Amino acid sequence: MATEAHGGEEGGLVFHPMDQFIVQPLFGDGAINMFTVTNATLWLALTVLAVIALMVLGTGKRAIVPSRTQSIGELAYGFVYKMVEDVTGKDGVKYFPYIMTLFMFIVFANFLALIPMSFSTTSHFAVTVVLALAVFLTVTVLGFIKNGASFLGLFWVSSAPLALRPVLAIIEIISYFVRPVSHSIRLAGNIMAGHAVIKVFAGFAAIAVISPVSILAITAMYGLEVLVAFIQAYVFTILTCVYLKDALHPHH
Amino acid sequence: MATETTQAAGDGLADTVGVASQDAGSAPGMPQLDFATWGNQIFWLVLALIAIYLVLSRVALPRIAAVLAERQGTISNDIAKAEDLKRQAEAAEEAYNKALADARAEAQAISQRTREEIKAEVAEANKKADAEIAAKAAESEKAINEIRATAMENVEAVAKETALALVAALGGSADAKDVDPAVANRMKG
């Protein structure tokens, strides 16, 4: 659709770096309502399938000496499990499946988005805001359930001088409520920016003189994006663990 | 508000680059801020997350945990078995060394005993030989003494006779009764 919309202007230098993020129906081109199957739906489904392929099909043999795929699955398991255990402590381990779900979804969505012509689901605030809000609400509710009113001790820095504590409390509360904002914008922003930059470089490739430089730049950016894809998934997950730790043990 | 600003900025950019004004369907500027698609995206996202959660928590994670536990068990089992075998090997070596030492000690004892037996036998034989020699020596001495005694008697008789003959030859009246004590006296001195 998007390409059709810009179909008229082929000559000259045209950038549409953001067009790759447009959500459009997969079949036909009607309006998008809640249940329309869109390109976002397709890539979310592919993400689910990729997770299943690695974690279920890859470990199907339950081999004592693992195959390569099973090794990667076990590596992912061990990576997230250790992260949860290290950051939140032993009592956080029961939330491991939820955190594993987050990590596997983000990491696969990010990597699938690196396939040319794909759609990057995690570049959309709709996705990351839901993820971040889910974490924020869960962690806040959990904090109150586990600790009752003493969860508010999280904002009362008892190690600071008494006069400073109200000020610090205000700062702590603000920073607490900024968490979901930064949590969601960090992920979507990184993915969106990287992909947009690659697209801009790709636009320059239309000029024959610059195209080698442009292709080199795309290659370099792509390498960086591979790194970012993993690091952002890691950052999102470890921040979730940190927030969970605050909910379980609010007293520093 | 923010959306409109971005939209305006997006339109501005589009104008400078030369894009015709976009139709209402495609989001201007950032498609991320086209809230018309949020409901759709959130619906499918939640579905995807639930699917991943169910698959992971019901199938994948228990399976991987089981595999890891089993591997850990196998490894520690194997290590225990290896340690056991090593201990057995050490015990066997010890037993072998002990047997060797025993055999050596026994050999030593046997040789010692044999040596002592031989020594005792030799001593016995020596003693016997000594006794025999002593007996023979005593016998010989006796025989020699006898011989000497008879020789002395013979010498005395010869001396008496000779003395008698001498006295007679010299013209004296030889009487055995006078000569014999004189000769015996002389021989004693």
Side-chain angles (χ1 to χ4, degrees):
Chain A
M1 245 186 89
T3 38
E4 284 162 27
H6 302 300
E9 342 112 359
E10 263 170 43
L13 196 57
V14 249
F15 295 107
H16 301 296
M18 303 307 276
D19 280 6
Q20 58 176 322
F21 302 122
I22 293 173
V23 179
Q24 50 200 327
L26 214 53
F27 310 106
D29 44 326
I32 294 171
N33 63 36
M34 195 145 170
F35 309 112
T36 315
V37 177
T38 61
N39 49 356
T41 313
L42 171 67
W43 288 95
L44 285 169
L46 288 176
T47 307
V48 175
L49 289 181
V51 172
I52 291 175
L54 176 65
M55 301 303 283
V56 177
L57 305 183
T59 59
K61 281 193 220 149
R62 302 157 185 262
I64 292 289
V65 180
S67 63
R68 267 178 276 186
T69 325
Q70 191 183 325
S71 290
I72 295 171
E74 286 170 7
L75 217 62
Y77 180 99
F79 178 70
V80 178
Y81 191 90
K82 196 168 176 334
M83 195 197 303
V84 174
E85 200 178 29
D86 286 354
V87 176
T88 63
K90 278 269 178 239
D91 49 347
V93 165
K94 64 175 170 227
Y95 306 105
F96 164 64
Y98 301 100
I99 293 172
M100 187 70 181
T101 304
L102 275 180
F103 178 76
M104 292 314 285
F105 170 74
I106 297 172
V107 87
F108 269 102
N110 286 356
F111 277 127
L112 285 175
L114 285 171
I115 298 172
M117 308 303 289
S118 72
F119 176 82
S120 10
T121 47
T122 41
S123 72
H124 273 267
F125 294 126
V127 169
T128 60
V129 163
V130 168
L131 294 177
L133 270 184
V135 169
F136 178 76
L137 293 177
T138 311
V139 158
T140 308
V141 169
L142 202 64
F144 278 112
I145 289 174
K146 289 265 169 192
N147 308 289
S150 74
F151 178 57
L152 296 172
L154 182 62
F155 308 116
W156 197 249
V157 187
S158 49
S159 54
L162 192 59
L164 273 178
R165 284 184 208 171
V167 184
L168 284 177
I170 293 169
I171 295 174
E172 287 282 334
I173 287 170
I174 292 173
S175 84
Y176 189 79
F177 282 97
V178 167
R179 276 179 182 184
V181 179
S182 63
H183 207 186
S184 58
I185 291 182
R186 183 181 302 112
L187 175 57
N190 268 289
I191 303 302
M192 175 173 53
H195 287 240
V197 166
I198 289 182
K199 209 70 167 184
V200 168
F201 283 135
F204 279 117
I207 303 167
V209 186
I210 320 178
S211 60
V213 183
S214 160
I215 286 165
L216 265 179
I218 291 173
T219 312
M221 272 310 289
Y222 194 92
L224 185 67
E225 282 309 293
V226 171
L227 217 64
V228 165
F230 180 78
I231 288 172
Q232 286 308 316
Y234 173 70
V235 166
F236 195 98
T237 316
I238 202 157
L239 280 176
T240 306
C241 290
V242 170
Y243 298 162
L244 185 63
K245 188 210 80 183
D246 280 348
L248 298 177
H249 318 283
H251 308 288
H252 327 244
Chain B
M1 250 278 285
T3 328
E4 282 165 19
T5 331
T6 329
Q7 191 172 338
D11 281 342
L13 182 68
D15 287 338
T16 47
V17 180
V19 182
S21 66
Q22 308 186 351
D23 54 315
S26 67
M30 288 171 72
Q32 279 84 353
L33 297 176
D34 179 7
F35 290 98
T37 66
W38 276 48
N40 178 281
Q41 288 197 65
I42 290 169
F43 170 74
W44 290 112
L45 167 69
V46 170
L47 222 58
L49 286 178
I50 290 173
I52 292 176
Y53 173 73
L54 288 180
V55 165
L56 286 184
S57 65
R58 294 287 152 82
V59 185
L61 300 185
R63 184 187 289 173
I64 293 175
V67 168
L68 291 180
E70 198 183 337
R71 181 174 311 147
Q72 198 56 49
T74 310
I75 289 171
S76 39
N77 263 355
D78 284 0
I79 287 174
K81 212 183 281 170
E83 253 164 32
D84 203 38
L85 287 175
K86 196 183 164 198
R87 214 172 303 122
Q88 277 179 21
E90 271 166 9
E93 198 195 341
E94 212 168 290
Y96 163 76
N97 279 342
K98 194 162 169 282
L100 198 64
D102 278 359
R104 203 168 279 155
E106 206 173 328
Q108 199 117 24
I110 289 172
S111 75
Q112 183 76 22
R113 208 181 313 135
T114 315
R115 202 175 296 139
E116 259 158 32
E117 266 169 28
I118 289 172
K119 214 187 265 172
E121 258 168 43
V122 167
E124 181 92 349
N126 268 347
K127 218 159 111 192
K128 216 164 152 194
D130 278 352
E132 260 168 43
I133 289 166
K136 274 206 178 134
E139 224 169 87
S140 306
E141 208 165 47
K142 210 167 132 198
I144 289 166
N145 281 347
E146 260 168 38
I147 291 166
R148 191 180 282 158
T150 49
M152 285 300 277
E153 260 168 45
N154 290 348
V155 165
E156 204 176 329
V158 169
K160 277 174 188 167
E161 273 172 26
T162 310
L164 210 60
L166 274 173
V167 170
L170 288 172
S173 62
D175 197 355
K177 277 189 262 154
D178 302 322
V179 176
D180 283 357
V183 172
N185 247 357
R186 246 330 138 142
M187 281 179 80
K188 262 178 213 162

